[in-house]
Amino acid sequence: MSAADDAVVHTQLATWQRRIQQTAAGLTPPQTGSPQSALAPQLHQLVSVYNVASGLIGEMLRSADSPLATTETGRTYLVQLATALGHTNQAAAHLSTAVTGLADTHRLAPRPGTAAPAESSLNVMLGHAAALRSLQRALTAITAPVADAPSSTMPAPTSVVAEQHRRAADSGTRPARRRP
């Protein structure tokens, strides 16, 4: 059954590679000009990234409930999907920052001839660039050969935010929040 499992995993990974590549290719930089003209394309891009994340979740649920999950290949595949999902969610968060920056620019500079706030413009540029990098990381997680993927027996690294919240809950203090 290992050869069949490998074939299934290879086919699914190729599908996810294509979907993530298409989504990354659709992440065009925000348009210059009015914030209104740039907002709609960024919202469409955000929806595309969320659709990929939803698809990854669905695939993980299907795969986790299948006999494939009982094999080493299947477990490695699930780890790859989980890693890609984490990076895809980061991409969505970064795009949300870009959309928020565009909305701020629109809200704070409503009159013709007024300058857009530099912080909002910077949030848009940096958020979009970070989203593209996160999608590239998701693609890397999916394109890594199954044999090279991290073993499912190793514990997943704890994110910095999760670690801060755990420590805060233990100590009774709250972690400091930073603006993205």
Side-chain angles (χ1 to χ4, degrees):
M1 184 164 183
S2 180
D5 291 342
D6 290 344
V8 168
V9 167
H10 180 70
T11 301
Q12 286 302 107
L13 287 175
T15 300
W16 286 110
Q17 288 172 7
R18 189 174 52 255
R19 286 190 67 193
I20 292 171
Q21 284 173 335
Q22 289 171 345
T23 303
L27 248 59
T28 57
Q31 300 172 2
T32 57
S34 72
Q36 301 93 323
S37 65
L39 190 58
Q42 291 300 299
L43 288 172
H44 288 295
Q45 292 173 26
L46 183 59
V47 168
S48 295
V49 171
Y50 274 124
N51 287 341
V52 169
S54 296
L56 284 166
I57 291 169
E59 179 63 25
M60 287 177 67
L61 289 171
R62 280 189 296 280
S63 297
D65 289 339
S66 75
L68 180 66
T70 62
T71 66
E72 184 61 32
T73 300
R75 287 188 296 272
T76 302
Y77 173 60
L78 286 170
V79 168
Q80 285 180 285
L81 290 178
T83 303
L85 177 61
H87 292 301
T88 303
N89 285 337
Q90 288 175 347
H94 294 306
L95 277 177
S96 294
T97 299
V99 167
T100 302
L102 284 170
D104 283 347
T105 301
H106 176 62
R107 181 178 55 84
L108 298 173
R111 291 168 285 160
T114 57
E119 182 180 348
S120 296
S121 298
L122 186 61
N123 281 342
V124 171
M125 291 185 309
L126 293 177
H128 189 272
L132 192 53
R133 284 191 307 274
S134 290
L135 278 180
Q136 291 303 326
R137 287 184 197 112
L139 184 60
T140 300
I142 292 293
T143 56
V146 174
D148 294 346
S151 172
S152 60
T153 58
M154 292 174 32
T158 306
S159 73
V160 173
V161 174
E163 181 64 23
Q164 285 179 347
H165 285 286
R166 185 190 58 74
R167 279 186 280 160
D170 292 344
S171 67
T173 61
R174 292 189 164 181
R177 296 186 110 190
R178 285 187 250 161
R179 189 169 184 188

